[in-house]
Amino acid sequence: MIERTLVLIKPDGVQRLLVGRIVARYEERGLKIVGLKLVRVDRDLAERHYAVHRDKPFFAGLVEFITSGPLVALALEGPEAVAVVRAMNGATRPHQADPGTVRGDLALETAQNLVHASDSPETAEAELGLWFRPDELLSYEREIDRWVLAPPGS
Ligand code: CMP
């Protein structure tokens, strides 16, 4: 099933000059970029995005971190995109992330784990609505789609 999912390349990714390399991983996999922007996150958006963690001891630090500098919000589309991107990012705690994943290759700390991705199609829909206006998410065909994607209806 073709899905859309939200990725955030967090402030540590921007500061470490890793934006291009992280975006390239998703592009090279074949995922389609349907939304992309640099965002200076305010407290309100950060708290809404991480609302499920509101009662966790790390919540204050998490909001502090995510608002500490610009981040990149990315909307990706493809078959089972939610699960594909979660697998590419690796486990939340970098010491548990497999080599070959974003975190397993590039991160060491749970707070500075470079990326966030939606954890279910339902979460993806809600998170995409939080980070992108409808007109910022584009639908378009790529020439390579016939080499990357199964034909519609197959
Ligand atoms: P993310 O996928 O963005 O979702 C919640 C984030 O909280 C998580 O990645 C981590 O970056 C961050 N975080 C900070 N401390 C912890 C912790 N102790 N346990 C889990 N997540 C944490």
Side-chain angles (χ1 to χ4, degrees):
M1 162 122 80
I2 299 292
E3 296 172 346
R4 286 183 170 183
T5 191
L6 175 82
V7 171
L8 302 178
I9 303 175
K10 301 185 198 181
D12 48 334
V14 175
Q15 295 300 323
R16 290 179 55 194
L17 318 183
L18 291 172
V19 170
R21 285 168 61 188
I22 294 172
V23 172
R25 288 176 176 238
Y26 305 128
E27 273 196 301
E28 286 169 357
R29 183 78 187 263
L31 291 159
K32 186 184 294 185
I33 297 171
V34 293
L36 178 63
K37 61 182 172 182
L38 187 71
V39 186
R40 188 63 187 256
V41 186
D42 62 22
R43 228 182 159 71
D44 177 59
L45 177 57
E47 290 184 356
R48 281 192 287 148
H49 174 75
Y50 280 129
V52 295
H53 297 301
R54 192 173 290 277
D55 298 327
K56 307 264 175 63
F58 57 83
F59 182 71
L62 181 57
V63 170
E64 198 63 42
F65 182 67
I66 208 83
T67 57
S68 65
L71 58 72
V72 171
L74 186 59
L76 296 172
E77 182 184 282
E80 318 299 335
V82 171
V84 166
V85 170
R86 297 280 296 181
M88 290 181 74
N89 287 352
T92 300
R93 291 171 177 74
H95 70 279
Q96 296 170 342
D98 292 332
T101 63
V102 174
R103 292 160 173 162
D105 288 349
L106 302 170
L108 286 169
E109 294 277 7
T110 302
Q112 288 85 358
N113 66 358
L114 290 172
V115 281
H116 165 87
S118 309
D119 62 9
S120 71
E122 296 72 32
T123 311
E125 197 179 333
E127 290 183 348
L128 287 167
L130 207 52
W131 290 88
F132 289 95
R133 296 193 314 268
D135 66 314
E136 291 177 323
L137 295 176
L138 307 185
S139 295
Y140 62 100
E141 305 293 317
R142 301 174 304 184
E143 287 296 325
I144 63 152
D145 282 344
R146 68 194 177 104
W147 302 105
V148 176
L149 303 174
S154 67

